[in-house]
Amino acid sequence: MSNIILGTLLTVGFFMIFLLFGALLPEKYQSKSLIFMCLTGFMLYFSLFQVIALPMKILHRPLHQLTLAWSVLVALLCLFSLITRHKILYKCISGNFSFSRNTPCILIIFFISIALAVFLGFNTNSISDYDAAYYIGLPSSSVYSDTIELMSPYTGTMLEDPEHFYILNTDTVHSAVIYQLINLHPLVWLKWSWTIILSLLFEGALYKCGESLFQKEYQKTTVFFILSNLTLLFSYSLSGVSHYFAYRTYEGKAITCFFYTTVIFCFCLQLYKDIDAHWVWSSLFFCTLSELSFCNTAIFVVPCMIAITLIPYVFTEVFRHHNWKICRNYVLILLPAVMWLIFYKIL
């Protein structure tokens, strides 16, 4: 029970961290929306972690060095955000506590999101025991050996190098850092805390999609939100999105499958609505920078979805409005994906 309480507190803590990280960007790149700031903060958080953890993983540095470096960096950045971005944070948070005629619909969406996240957190089915042993066993063996994935989670033998196929992924390294830092076992972190965090972020992105599609008609947005979740939960297929969402929420392929795709679509919708939404470009950039943290599949899925979804927008702006700056932005947000692809081929 103490682990569940700690895991729940950690869930709240990570939403605060994502919000503070989202507020780090210059005001020009702020959406001033609580949900969007958390989503952007998520992407920025794992972009920075990927940039710091990957070299240390390749260089075989001890895990405690990464844990110390990352915890200090996160603490300093959160403190910096609180001190220098407190006005933005206040506007962002206070705007969610004003009552209006749309509040009942928003509350319905909020409570459904919480209920579904907790339901998935209590789900004990893993479908793939081999994958579950990897995601839970690898951080545990890393903490036990104080290495970054240099002990096999299946045999306990020491390895000369991390598993080559997963060399560029750092999601499991992050679980090891959490375990070493606050002694929360990966079983609780992944099956409870991380599952709830991902579910709530996904539901927030889904809500924002409905808000954009139905022009803030919140009754229609609520119906869209409920039907989307019902479709996801009652259209099960072994290799489909519903399977990953319900049974393997915390796994890398699942995060790419149900979370990144939804968030990218949501961000792109905002750009179609408002050409001056500069924060969308920065958020998409961090999407492509953080993608490889979770799985190799993201190398292709994330940049391809961004590129294809924005093609009509880019063509319209270039050939109809002669806005050539869009091409520059379009290329810049895809550059991290090209970089990861080169690294993937080299390593």
Side-chain angles (χ1 to χ4, degrees), residues 237-269:
S237 64
L238 188 60
S239 58
V241 178
S242 56
H243 166 79
Y244 284 109
F245 176 67
Y247 291 99
R248 306 167 75 169
T249 317
Y250 60 87
E251 295 185 11
K253 289 188 293 294
I255 296 171
T256 301
C257 185
F258 78 84
F259 180 65
Y260 266 80
T261 53
T262 305
V263 171
I264 290 168
F265 180 70
C266 184
F267 284 157
C268 291
L269 276 179

Side-chain angles (χ1 to χ4, degrees), residues 10 25-26 38 53 60 69 96 149 176 187 200 202 251 291 322 337:
L10 190 62
L25 300 177
C38 285
H60 298 185
N96 290 273
E149 301 184 354
L187 180 65
L200 290 177
F202 165 75
E251 295 185 11
E291 62 182 25
H322 306 290

